[in-house]
Amino acid sequence: MQLYSFFNSSTSYRVRIALALKGLVADYHGVNLRAGEQRSAQHRELSPVGGVPVLVDDDGATLTQSLAIIDYLDARHPEVPLIPREPLQRARVLEVANLIACDIHPINNLRVLGYLQQTLGASAEQKNAWYAHWVQQGLAAVEELLRRHGCGPFCFGDAPTLADCCLVPQVANAERVGCELSGFPLVLAVYRHCQAQTAFQLAAPGQQPDFIQ
């Protein structure tokens, strides 16, 4: 397998966690989002939207979008399941994963933040306030879902799921930019438990070959 990734991309981070949890190895190809490599014609052949991650399977199948990639990996390599089969539990996991992947991340990713500053003229302070606002709103909803339905030490029980694959990168990015997270004790407890696990450590940004200080 080939994985096109950027060390600090939270969507790539999700896929790296899933690969590590399943014990799968992919050849790593760094795509420097800060340098705009994702917009090259060569990369657009792999990803029409011009982003990461991109997974190219051994049979040549090319997939973009982190949740689709993880769902594919789960179907092809079900030995360490990340998406439950039982309907309600599956829905609970997807509820949290999609809340993060669809409600929090898209309006705080590099493209959106760049547009805010470069096109709309937002200051650095305004950009950071935008980021913090949506993180606070989104993680408050995640916290409530964990309070209602979670059962730790991972989001949903004793084994990691897709929800954990999404939660860890989102919290890591929020910490990196200095968001206030003390109001989310359940989220932080899951995050810290995950960070103590080998697979999550291997997937961390600082462990990737394209890591930049």
Side-chain angles (χ1 to χ4, degrees):
M1 283 188 291
Q2 314 287 318
L3 178 66
Y4 293 80
S5 172
F6 183 55
F7 80 97
N8 217 28
S9 156
S10 60
T11 51
S12 299
Y13 194 174
R14 295 170 195 162
V15 173
R16 296 196 306 261
I17 292 169
L19 288 166
L21 287 168
K22 290 178 174 292
L24 300 173
V25 177
D27 294 332
Y28 190 101
H29 302 277
V31 180
N32 191 330
L33 302 187
R34 295 175 185 170
E37 291 178 0
Q38 73 276 18
R39 295 190 291 272
S40 70
Q42 181 181 13
H43 189 71
R44 290 274 189 178
E45 284 296 313
L46 293 169
S47 171
V49 74
V52 290
V54 178
L55 183 79
V56 182
D57 205 355
D58 291 335
D59 61 5
T62 300
L63 287 166
T64 65
Q65 299 299 326
S66 61
L67 299 193
I69 292 170
I70 296 171
D71 182 64
Y72 175 78
L73 292 172
D74 217 39
R76 288 290 301 272
H77 306 276
E79 296 81 11
V80 182
L82 298 176
I83 304 174
R85 300 296 183 260
E86 192 280 320
L88 182 57
Q89 194 65 7
R90 177 184 178 88
R92 295 298 184 205
V93 167
L94 291 174
E95 188 176 26
V96 169
N98 280 287
L99 196 164
I100 294 168
C102 300
D103 290 352
I104 306 175
H105 170 261
I107 50 179
N108 277 338
N109 70 13
L110 188 62
R111 289 185 299 170
V112 169
L113 297 179
Y115 186 82
L116 284 173
Q117 286 195 283
Q118 297 158 21
T119 303
L120 300 183
S123 66
E125 292 77 13
Q126 289 171 320
K127 180 198 74 172
N128 292 339
W130 168 280
Y131 190 104
H133 171 78
W134 297 116
V135 165
Q136 287 285 327
Q137 274 206 357
L139 289 186
V142 174
E143 181 78 9
E144 179 61 17
L145 289 177
L146 293 181
R147 186 190 68 79
R148 295 182 185 184
H149 310 300
C151 52
F154 294 99
C155 286
F156 296 100
D158 295 328
T161 66
L162 176 62
D164 303 282
C165 294
C166 292
L167 182 144
V168 166
Q170 186 63 62
V171 175
N173 273 355
E175 282 193 331
R176 180 174 55 84
V177 300
C179 293
E180 174 55 55
L181 303 177
S182 62
F184 314 119
L186 298 178
V187 167
L188 289 177
V190 170
Y191 174 69
R192 289 168 183 147
H193 178 73
C194 289
Q195 293 290 60
Q197 311 305 311
T198 301
F200 288 85
Q201 294 169 357
L202 291 172
Q207 299 302 309
Q208 307 316 306
D210 61 337
F211 175 70
I212 304 166
Q213 284 284 0

Short mmCIF file of all heavy atoms in Angstrom, two decimals, residues 165-193:
data_model
loop_
_atom_site.label_atom_id
_atom_site.label_comp_id
_atom_site.label_asym_id
_atom_site.label_seq_id
_atom_site.Cartn_x
_atom_site.Cartn_y
_atom_site.Cartn_z
N CYS A 165 -10.14 7.28 16.34
CA CYS A 165 -9.27 7.69 15.24
C CYS A 165 -9.51 9.14 14.84
O CYS A 165 -8.60 9.83 14.39
CB CYS A 165 -9.49 6.80 14.01
SG CYS A 165 -9.01 5.07 14.22
N CYS A 166 -10.74 9.61 15.01
CA CYS A 166 -11.08 10.99 14.69
C CYS A 166 -10.82 11.93 15.86
O CYS A 166 -10.39 13.08 15.66
CB CYS A 166 -12.53 11.08 14.26
SG CYS A 166 -12.89 10.29 12.68
N LEU A 167 -11.11 11.47 17.06
CA LEU A 167 -10.99 12.35 18.23
C LEU A 167 -9.55 12.76 18.50
O LEU A 167 -9.26 13.94 18.77
CB LEU A 167 -11.59 11.67 19.46
CG LEU A 167 -11.58 12.48 20.75
CD1 LEU A 167 -12.85 12.21 21.58
CD2 LEU A 167 -10.36 12.16 21.62
N VAL A 168 -8.63 11.82 18.43
CA VAL A 168 -7.24 12.11 18.82
C VAL A 168 -6.62 13.21 17.94
O VAL A 168 -6.06 14.18 18.48
CB VAL A 168 -6.40 10.83 18.82
CG1 VAL A 168 -4.90 11.15 18.88
CG2 VAL A 168 -6.79 9.96 20.01
N PRO A 169 -6.69 13.14 16.61
CA PRO A 169 -6.11 14.23 15.82
C PRO A 169 -6.76 15.57 16.07
O PRO A 169 -6.09 16.61 16.06
CB PRO A 169 -6.32 13.77 14.38
CG PRO A 169 -6.44 12.28 14.46
CD PRO A 169 -7.15 12.03 15.76
N GLN A 170 -8.09 15.58 16.29
CA GLN A 170 -8.77 16.84 16.52
C GLN A 170 -8.31 17.50 17.82
O GLN A 170 -8.04 18.70 17.86
CB GLN A 170 -10.28 16.63 16.55
CG GLN A 170 -11.07 17.92 16.64
CD GLN A 170 -10.86 18.80 15.42
OE1 GLN A 170 -11.17 18.42 14.31
NE2 GLN A 170 -10.29 19.99 15.63
N VAL A 171 -8.18 16.70 18.87
CA VAL A 171 -7.73 17.25 20.15
C VAL A 171 -6.26 17.65 20.06
O VAL A 171 -5.86 18.70 20.59
CB VAL A 171 -7.96 16.24 21.29
CG1 VAL A 171 -7.36 16.77 22.60
CG2 VAL A 171 -9.45 15.98 21.47
N ALA A 172 -5.45 16.86 19.37
CA ALA A 172 -4.03 17.19 19.22
C ALA A 172 -3.86 18.54 18.52
O ALA A 172 -3.05 19.38 18.94
CB ALA A 172 -3.31 16.09 18.45
N ASN A 173 -4.64 18.77 17.47
CA ASN A 173 -4.56 20.05 16.78
C ASN A 173 -5.05 21.19 17.66
O ASN A 173 -4.48 22.29 17.67
CB ASN A 173 -5.38 20.00 15.49
CG ASN A 173 -4.58 19.46 14.32
OD1 ASN A 173 -3.39 19.21 14.43
ND2 ASN A 173 -5.23 19.26 13.20
N ALA A 174 -6.12 20.93 18.40
CA ALA A 174 -6.64 21.98 19.29
C ALA A 174 -5.61 22.34 20.36
O ALA A 174 -5.43 23.52 20.69
CB ALA A 174 -7.94 21.51 19.93
N GLU A 175 -4.94 21.34 20.91
CA GLU A 175 -3.87 21.62 21.87
C GLU A 175 -2.75 22.42 21.23
O GLU A 175 -2.20 23.35 21.83
CB GLU A 175 -3.31 20.30 22.43
CG GLU A 175 -4.18 19.65 23.49
CD GLU A 175 -3.44 18.55 24.24
OE1 GLU A 175 -2.54 17.92 23.64
OE2 GLU A 175 -3.77 18.32 25.41
N ARG A 176 -2.39 22.05 20.02
CA ARG A 176 -1.27 22.70 19.33
C ARG A 176 -1.50 24.19 19.13
O ARG A 176 -0.56 24.99 19.23
CB ARG A 176 -1.04 22.01 17.98
CG ARG A 176 0.09 22.59 17.15
CD ARG A 176 0.33 21.77 15.90
NE ARG A 176 -0.88 21.62 15.10
CZ ARG A 176 -1.31 22.53 14.22
NH1 ARG A 176 -0.62 23.63 14.02
NH2 ARG A 176 -2.42 22.32 13.53
N VAL A 177 -2.75 24.57 18.87
CA VAL A 177 -3.04 26.00 18.65
C VAL A 177 -3.50 26.70 19.93
O VAL A 177 -3.89 27.87 19.88
CB VAL A 177 -4.06 26.19 17.51
CG1 VAL A 177 -3.54 25.60 16.22
CG2 VAL A 177 -5.41 25.60 17.87
N GLY A 178 -3.46 26.01 21.04
CA GLY A 178 -3.71 26.65 22.33
C GLY A 178 -5.16 26.82 22.71
O GLY A 178 -5.50 27.72 23.50
N CYS A 179 -6.04 25.96 22.21
CA CYS A 179 -7.46 26.04 22.59
C CYS A 179 -7.65 25.62 24.05
O CYS A 179 -6.94 24.74 24.54
CB CYS A 179 -8.31 25.14 21.70
SG CYS A 179 -8.40 25.68 19.99
N GLU A 180 -8.61 26.22 24.70
CA GLU A 180 -8.96 25.87 26.07
C GLU A 180 -9.82 24.62 26.06
O GLU A 180 -10.93 24.62 25.52
CB GLU A 180 -9.71 27.03 26.73
CG GLU A 180 -10.26 26.72 28.11
CD GLU A 180 -9.19 26.23 29.08
OE1 GLU A 180 -8.17 26.92 29.25
OE2 GLU A 180 -9.40 25.13 29.65
N LEU A 181 -9.31 23.56 26.67
CA LEU A 181 -10.00 22.26 26.61
C LEU A 181 -10.39 21.72 27.97
O LEU A 181 -10.92 20.61 28.05
CB LEU A 181 -9.09 21.24 25.90
CG LEU A 181 -8.63 21.60 24.49
CD1 LEU A 181 -7.68 20.53 23.96
CD2 LEU A 181 -9.81 21.79 23.55
N SER A 182 -10.18 22.48 29.03
CA SER A 182 -10.42 21.96 30.38
C SER A 182 -11.89 21.64 30.63
O SER A 182 -12.21 20.86 31.53
CB SER A 182 -9.91 22.94 31.43
OG SER A 182 -10.60 24.18 31.34
N GLY A 183 -12.78 22.19 29.83
CA GLY A 183 -14.20 21.93 30.02
C GLY A 183 -14.68 20.62 29.43
O GLY A 183 -15.89 20.34 29.47
N PHE A 184 -13.75 19.81 28.91
CA PHE A 184 -14.12 18.57 28.25
C PHE A 184 -13.39 17.38 28.88
O PHE A 184 -12.53 16.75 28.26
CB PHE A 184 -13.82 18.65 26.75
CG PHE A 184 -14.28 19.92 26.10
CD1 PHE A 184 -13.38 20.79 25.50
CD2 PHE A 184 -15.62 20.27 26.12
CE1 PHE A 184 -13.80 21.96 24.92
CE2 PHE A 184 -16.06 21.45 25.53
CZ PHE A 184 -15.14 22.30 24.94
N PRO A 185 -13.71 17.07 30.14
CA PRO A 185 -12.95 16.03 30.85
C PRO A 185 -13.07 14.64 30.23
O PRO A 185 -12.11 13.87 30.25
CB PRO A 185 -13.55 16.06 32.27
CG PRO A 185 -14.90 16.69 32.11
CD PRO A 185 -14.75 17.68 31.00
N LEU A 186 -14.22 14.29 29.68
CA LEU A 186 -14.37 12.96 29.07
C LEU A 186 -13.56 12.88 27.78
O LEU A 186 -12.89 11.87 27.52
CB LEU A 186 -15.84 12.65 28.80
CG LEU A 186 -16.75 12.59 30.03
CD1 LEU A 186 -18.19 12.33 29.61
CD2 LEU A 186 -16.27 11.51 30.99
N VAL A 187 -13.62 13.92 26.98
CA VAL A 187 -12.82 13.98 25.75
C VAL A 187 -11.33 13.85 26.09
O VAL A 187 -10.60 13.07 25.46
CB VAL A 187 -13.08 15.29 25.00
CG1 VAL A 187 -12.04 15.52 23.90
CG2 VAL A 187 -14.49 15.29 24.39
N LEU A 188 -10.88 14.59 27.08
CA LEU A 188 -9.46 14.56 27.43
C LEU A 188 -9.05 13.23 28.02
O LEU A 188 -7.93 12.75 27.79
CB LEU A 188 -9.14 15.70 28.41
CG LEU A 188 -9.17 17.11 27.81
CD1 LEU A 188 -8.92 18.15 28.90
CD2 LEU A 188 -8.15 17.25 26.69
N ALA A 189 -9.93 12.58 28.77
CA ALA A 189 -9.60 11.27 29.34
C ALA A 189 -9.40 10.25 28.23
O ALA A 189 -8.45 9.45 28.26
CB ALA A 189 -10.71 10.82 30.29
N VAL A 190 -10.28 10.26 27.23
CA VAL A 190 -10.11 9.35 26.09
C VAL A 190 -8.83 9.68 25.34
O VAL A 190 -8.05 8.78 24.99
CB VAL A 190 -11.33 9.44 25.14
CG1 VAL A 190 -11.07 8.69 23.85
CG2 VAL A 190 -12.58 8.89 25.82
N TYR A 191 -8.61 10.95 25.10
CA TYR A 191 -7.41 11.39 24.38
C TYR A 191 -6.13 10.92 25.07
O TYR A 191 -5.23 10.36 24.44
CB TYR A 191 -7.43 12.91 24.27
CG TYR A 191 -6.19 13.53 23.67
CD1 TYR A 191 -5.89 13.36 22.32
CD2 TYR A 191 -5.33 14.30 24.45
CE1 TYR A 191 -4.76 13.94 21.77
CE2 TYR A 191 -4.20 14.88 23.90
CZ TYR A 191 -3.92 14.70 22.56
OH TYR A 191 -2.79 15.27 22.02
N ARG A 192 -6.06 11.11 26.37
CA ARG A 192 -4.85 10.72 27.11
C ARG A 192 -4.67 9.21 27.14
O ARG A 192 -3.54 8.71 27.05
CB ARG A 192 -4.90 11.30 28.53
CG ARG A 192 -4.72 12.82 28.54
CD ARG A 192 -5.05 13.44 29.87
NE ARG A 192 -4.94 14.90 29.83
CZ ARG A 192 -5.70 15.74 30.52
NH1 ARG A 192 -6.66 15.26 31.32
NH2 ARG A 192 -5.52 17.03 30.42
N HIS A 193 -5.77 8.47 27.24
CA HIS A 193 -5.67 7.02 27.20
C HIS A 193 -5.15 6.57 25.85
O HIS A 193 -4.27 5.70 25.77
CB HIS A 193 -7.03 6.38 27.48
CG HIS A 193 -7.01 4.89 27.41
ND1 HIS A 193 -6.43 4.10 28.38
CD2 HIS A 193 -7.47 4.03 26.46
CE1 HIS A 193 -6.55 2.83 28.05
NE2 HIS A 193 -7.16 2.76 26.88
#
